[in-house]
Amino acid sequence: MSFNELFAAYPFTMTDSEVATAAQHIIDAHFAENNTRDVWMQCLNQIDLTTLNGEDTVEKVENMAKKVKDFGRHFKGLKNVAAMCVYPALASVARANLPKAVHVACVSAGFPASQTFIEVKVAETALALQAGADEIDIVISVGKFLEGRYQEVFDEISELKAVCGKHHLKVILETGALASAENIWKASILAMAAGADFIKTSTGKIKVNATPEATFVMCHAIRMWQEKTGQKVCFKPAGGVATTDEAVTHYTLVKEILGQEWLNNDSFRFGASRLANNLLTSIMGEETKYF
């Protein structure tokens, strides 16, 4: 594949400062109309409830999954989270304790740095699916991307999508490491061309994670991709999306750039650990620490 031709077919002409200004304009114009209880409830239903810590245990994942399973008993009238995201070794634990309607998402392929062999990435992904994962979240090889080794990055994503088959592959761009809007745009286009079902901002493991600017760029890339190919790619901001206001900010950008078709948990997810309790607090009108 000629990546010069690919990027020329999906041109990006904005500077970083123009992106920041345009994103803020959308937020200023539309945040208030979306900062409602109905939107907070919708955002809750779009969460991939996440625990990705080195000290995660079977008991911790069991307890989190059981809270998800019992959610409807405690919060009647509210829709549950969309998925629970764990490390591959804990996929079977999550699956055994979650209701069938809630997906198991697994990070894989050398998460969070992606600094391992493609053979290991393939094996880990296959094992995660075998253990009960419904969805796989991988990180692009950021170092290779920044060196311009686009073909290698493309081939890795393509191979891992082949392993996933019908299961959704979420491709994390690690936008904070890509730094520039142009790099985020190119990584978005490359990932979609390679077969990503979702493109996702961040791992949550570096200093800069999901930002409004990254969401603005990625959503415009998704829109252009759909206009030119007819293919719908989904979106997941993750890392640092913790407060109700932050969730509504990303929701507002997705709504204004991509439209109503994306405002559901099939097409738009939040990767979060703290967000669920903060949204529940807003929804219930009192401090709520359920998860």
Side-chain angles (χ1 to χ4, degrees), residues 194-269:
D197 298 295
F198 276 75
I199 53 175
K200 175 178 170 182
T201 58
S202 318
T203 61
K205 301 297 185 182
I206 68 170
K207 186 175 181 179
V208 177
N209 291 289
T211 64
E213 293 80 8
T215 289
F216 178 92
V217 172
M218 293 170 70
C219 286
H220 275 285
I222 288 170
R223 188 174 76 176
M224 186 181 290
W225 184 261
Q226 188 191 41
E227 289 170 352
K228 288 179 175 286
T229 68
Q231 298 171 354
K232 180 182 178 182
V233 176
C234 307
F235 177 64
K236 180 178 173 180
V241 184
T243 68
T244 297
D245 280 0
E246 286 164 346
V248 173
T249 294
H250 291 281
Y251 179 98
T252 298
L253 290 165
V254 172
K255 180 181 177 182
E256 293 304 313
I257 298 167
L258 292 175
Q260 195 72 31
E261 185 183 349
W262 268 262
L263 301 181
N264 57 75
N265 69 10
D266 289 325
S267 305
F268 174 21
R269 301 277 185 84

Side-chain angles (χ1 to χ4, degrees), residues 25 52 71 76 98 124 150 166 174 206 212 235 251 272:
H25 177 75
L52 295 171
F71 180 83
K76 297 186 185 301
L98 285 172
E124 185 177 37
Y150 302 133
K166 66 180 182 179
E174 199 67 294
I206 68 170
F235 177 64
Y251 179 98

Side-chain angles (χ1 to χ4, degrees), residues 159-177:
E159 188 164 356
L160 292 168
K161 176 54 188 171
V163 176
C164 288
K166 66 180 182 179
H167 299 280
H168 278 164
L169 177 67
K170 305 193 197 90
V171 178
I172 304 166
L173 308 184
E174 199 67 294
T175 52

Side-chain angles (χ1 to χ4, degrees), residues 34-43 76-78 282-285:
N34 294 314
N35 194 25
T36 67
R37 190 171 187 268
D38 284 346
V39 170
W40 303 337
M41 290 191 293
Q42 180 60 45
C43 289
K76 297 186 185 301
L78 296 185
S282 298
I283 292 163
M284 305 306 293

